[in-house]
Amino acid sequence: ATFVGLNRIDSLALTDGRPFVSHGPPITSFAPDAVQYLVRGENAKHLKEISGSWRQVIPVAAALQQALPNARCISITSGRWPAEAPAGSLFRELEQLRRLELHGAFFSSNVPVTFWDGLTDARMLQSLVVDHCPTLPTLGTLDPNKLLSLRSVSLRFATMLDDDATWRVLAALPALDELSVKLLS
């Protein structure tokens, strides 16, 4: 296994089912067990940056619901929510998260309404980008009083914009100073 003996990885990228590591110890090829590294959670607490882009192979649900207390940036492009995923959130224990970007992610009908629950502890979140993610649930389940640092929100082509609860949350964000919205056309 590629990750045997690696106690700390700061950045993990999962791409088209062929995960690889960057900004860590030098690895010269794709590591087939990066998803398992995340699933086991033994060292996931050290991850600061997670990025993903997968169209064919879908990570197991446990990988997407891992506790990531030191993650500062999560960026997912073209990912699908696992069919076997129980009601859960996209990661959890995100106390250090500063930026969350979702681009064309989770195009499936089984995304749970609890998807955003992982942001409950994201008091340091400064930027949220949701771009072309029509199946994600409303932001109405979020407590704006817990998102004290959220200054920038960009919502493009998201059906959640049709929901009054999303707009109530956005209006109540105490630090919001930049809102970018592009409606479905």
Side-chain angles (χ1 to χ4, degrees), residues 46-82:
H46 297 295
L47 289 170
K48 293 180 182 170
E49 181 178 350
I50 295 109
S51 62
S53 176
W54 57 88
R55 294 186 179 113
Q56 303 301 320
V57 177
I58 303 170
V60 293
L64 296 178
Q65 295 175 348
Q66 189 57 255
L68 301 170
N70 288 304
R72 295 199 171 139
C73 179
I74 297 173
S75 178
I76 298 175
T77 304
S78 303
R80 291 190 296 167
W81 193 256

Side-chain angles (χ1 to χ4, degrees), residues 3 12-21 29-36:
F3 291 120
L12 183 67
L14 309 167
T15 305
D16 286 324
R18 297 172 301 176
F20 63 94
V21 174
S29 64
F30 290 112
D33 58 347
V35 171
Q36 288 306 314

Side-chain angles (χ1 to χ4, degrees), residues 128-131 139 152-162 166-167 170-171 176 178-185:
L128 173 65
V129 176
V130 179
D131 183 14
L139 295 177
S152 175
V153 176
S154 176
L155 303 174
R156 297 183 42 161
F157 302 110
T159 54
M160 69 179 69
L161 292 170
D162 294 334
T166 292
W167 289 103
L170 292 172
L176 187 66
E178 182 180 334
L179 176 62
S180 174
V181 173
K182 178 140 181 155
L183 301 174
L184 296 171
S185 54

Side-chain angles (χ1 to χ4, degrees), residues 31-46:
D33 58 347
V35 171
Q36 288 306 314
Y37 175 89
L38 189 57
V39 169
R40 283 191 310 261
E42 296 163 0
N43 298 315
K45 65 183 177 188
H46 297 295

Side-chain angles (χ1 to χ4, degrees), residues 90-123:
L90 177 65
F91 302 116
R92 54 192 175 79
E93 297 178 26
L94 298 170
E95 293 93 359
Q96 297 296 316
L97 188 65
R98 308 298 201 280
R99 183 169 184 81
L100 175 60
E101 294 185 11
L102 304 172
H103 300 276
F106 307 116
F107 275 85
S108 55
S109 60
N110 67 326
V111 178
V113 294
T114 55
F115 179 85
W116 298 110
D117 287 359
L119 296 181
T120 300
D121 298 320
R123 295 180 191 275

